[in-house]
Amino acid sequence: MKRRTVIFGGTAIVATSVVGVSLWPRRQRAIAARTFHWKGSDFVSGGTRAVDVAKLPEPVFRRRPNCIVTAVQTLGPCHVNDVPEREDVSEGKVGMPMRMAVRIVHAADCRPIENADVEIWHTDHRGIYSGREAAEMCTSGDAEALSGLAFRGRQLTNSDGQATFLTVYPGWYHGRTSHIHCRILVAGKELLVSQLYFDDTLNDIVYDQHPDYVGRPARETRNSDDGIIPADAADHIFDFEKLDGGVLSATITIGVSS
């Protein structure tokens, strides 16, 4: 059985391909750095077109996550309505491919929530949001961004409370650290609007080394400088795994209060 390494909380955890991590995560400040023995060249470029989703292994989640309510955060001006239900949200745009998997649970006891409607949205590799309905500050009036709904989509969770998206690593933009927005509805009722984040060490690897992101000015806002990220963002930062074929896996458990 293949052994896989998932990185979270500053520690590399070895797990089998079918069993999740079986220890309590260490809570940490958002600015605490993890160790990644990766280079930008370890990952493929050009977006998701060459990714065969059927060949990707099942996502590995922490067996015993922190069963707490994920903090509510602002919806922001870049949200749009009526996004499509789909797994691949990239619309063929370039970037470092990433399989994002979320698990939605009851915060009280970590029971999975089936048929939760999970909506996500984030920028492209340039730090620009898509969608004509989004505020102009989000799209920068870019014709490519206005022409579609790239990096926006929704999925219903399965019986394990899980939903997966195929996307690319989001770019940064002025005043914010790297993030992905999410909105959770159950039976038509909005239970959570929040944002999910990346480790700054990994951000540095991607933005400084990956060919789809180099060439932009150096980002000026890190996790420790962002005015929106929670003071203790351990439960908002993805866990990561480098999959065979150069795809990044990002997983996270989101607790909601019913």
Side-chain angles (χ1 to χ4, degrees), residues 166-189:
L166 190 61
T167 185
V168 306
Y169 203 92
W172 60 269
Y173 58 90
H174 177 72
R176 289 301 318 276
T177 192
S178 308
H179 62 282
I180 291 180
H181 295 265
C182 68
R183 181 172 180 249
I184 314 299
L185 292 86
V186 177
K189 179 182 179 181

Side-chain angles (χ1 to χ4, degrees), residues 27 66-72 105-108 191-192 194 235-236 253-258:
R27 296 184 67 84
N66 291 326
C67 294
I68 63 173
V69 177
T70 300
V72 174
V105 301
H106 293 278
L191 295 187
L192 179 71
S194 194
D235 299 295
H236 287 251
T253 296
I254 298 174
V256 298
S257 173
S258 56

Side-chain angles (χ1 to χ4, degrees), residues 145-159:
L146 293 170
S147 66
L149 291 173
F151 309 116
R152 300 179 183 273
R154 42 184 289 271
Q155 284 275 294
L156 296 177
T157 57
N158 61 19
S159 59

Side-chain angles (χ1 to χ4, degrees), residues 12-36:
I13 302 299
V14 176
T16 69
S17 60
V18 294
V19 179
V21 177
S22 59
L23 70 161
W24 288 102
R26 177 172 59 83
R27 296 184 67 84
Q28 62 176 23
R29 297 284 299 178
I31 60 174
R34 310 181 193 190
T35 300
F36 297 89

Side-chain angles (χ1 to χ4, degrees), residues 211-255:
D212 289 338
Y213 301 82
V214 297
R216 296 190 65 201
R219 63 191 177 105
E220 81 287 352
T221 305
R222 303 178 68 85
N223 288 350
S224 56
D225 307 317
D226 190 273
I228 295 178
I229 189 173
D232 183 354
D235 299 295
H236 287 251
I237 296 180
F238 288 104
D239 299 328
F240 301 101
E241 180 184 5
K242 181 171 68 67
L243 302 178
D244 291 344
V247 176
L248 179 70
S249 173
T251 61
I252 196 165
T253 296
I254 298 174

Side-chain angles (χ1 to χ4, degrees), residues 71-221:
V72 174
Q73 295 199 270
T74 178
L75 183 72
C78 302
H79 180 262
V80 304
N81 296 316
D82 302 321
V83 298
E85 182 177 340
R86 57 187 177 180
E87 183 173 11
D88 188 337
V89 300
S90 69
E91 295 190 354
K93 308 301 182 184
V94 302
M96 188 179 88
M98 180 177 77
R99 195 268 309 279
M100 171 184 167
V102 300
R103 179 174 58 181
I104 312 300
V105 301
H106 293 278
D109 54 15
C110 269
R111 287 183 295 112
I113 300 178
E114 186 176 5
N115 289 325
D117 189 332
V118 182
E119 178 188 354
I120 67 164
W121 64 101
H122 65 81
T123 69
D124 64 12
H125 70 294
R126 305 169 299 168
I128 298 175
Y129 288 94
S130 66
R132 291 190 177 279
E133 293 181 23
E136 185 175 358
M137 62 176 289
C138 304
T139 63
S140 299
D142 181 82
E144 180 181 350
L146 293 170
S147 66
L149 291 173
F151 309 116
R152 300 179 183 273
R154 42 184 289 271
Q155 284 275 294
L156 296 177
T157 57
N158 61 19
S159 59
D160 295 320
Q162 297 179 20
T164 61
F165 297 90
L166 190 61
T167 185
V168 306
Y169 203 92
W172 60 269
Y173 58 90
H174 177 72
R176 289 301 318 276
T177 192
S178 308
H179 62 282
I180 291 180
H181 295 265
C182 68
R183 181 172 180 249
I184 314 299
L185 292 86
V186 177
K189 179 182 179 181
E190 182 181 283
L191 295 187
L192 179 71
V193 172
S194 194
Q195 298 178 31
L196 309 172
Y197 298 91
F198 298 81
D199 188 275
D200 260 337
T201 302
L202 183 57
N203 285 330
D204 289 339
I205 292 171
V206 175
Y207 297 146
D208 296 344
Q209 301 177 15
H210 192 277
D212 289 338
Y213 301 82
V214 297
R216 296 190 65 201
R219 63 191 177 105
E220 81 287 352
T221 305

